[in-house]
Amino acid sequence: MRAWIVDRDGANERMLTKGSSQVFCPSVSPDGTRFAVADWLATGRLMTIHPIDGPSAEIQPDGPLWDAWAGVWSPDGRTLAVNGRVLDGGAN
């Protein structure tokens, strides 16, 4: 699976994520410049943050495995809360 974006009128459809990993639970930042996804990697589902336009410099913060559901951005877009699991795959 990939993350896509499209204008409200259906124009300008484009794929936002590349590569061979599967992504799900996209969440767009309040200013519309970035989005976070759960990225299914060999080590588990980790959060990656991508720019919507511009160079594809993704950020993969240190943190828990992403359990499920979309992340919730703070109103100023500086933080992102996600439902996570400890790195050994244990409890939420």
Side-chain angles (χ1 to χ4, degrees):
M1 281 187 258
R2 301 284 178 264
W4 292 77
I5 193 167
V6 62
D7 292 347
R8 287 179 11 179
D9 64 1
N12 299 315
E13 180 181 308
R14 63 194 187 280
M15 185 171 43
L16 294 175
T17 55
K18 308 281 190 255
S20 60
S21 64
Q22 296 183 20
V23 300
F24 52 97
C25 298
S27 178
V28 177
S29 66
D31 65 4
T33 62
R34 297 166 291 151
F35 68 100
V37 291
D39 201 340
W40 192 287
L41 305 170
T43 55
R45 294 177 295 224
L46 298 174
M47 174 176 46
T48 56
I49 301 170
H50 305 259
I52 287 182
D53 290 315
S56 60
E58 77 179 40
I59 299 168
Q60 188 173 30
D62 293 332
L65 298 177
W66 194 325
D67 191 26
W69 302 288
V72 178
W73 292 86
S74 64
D76 64 5
R78 295 183 60 183
T79 57
L80 179 67
V82 297
N83 185 30
R85 291 185 173 272
V86 293
L87 292 177
D88 68 5
N92 295 12

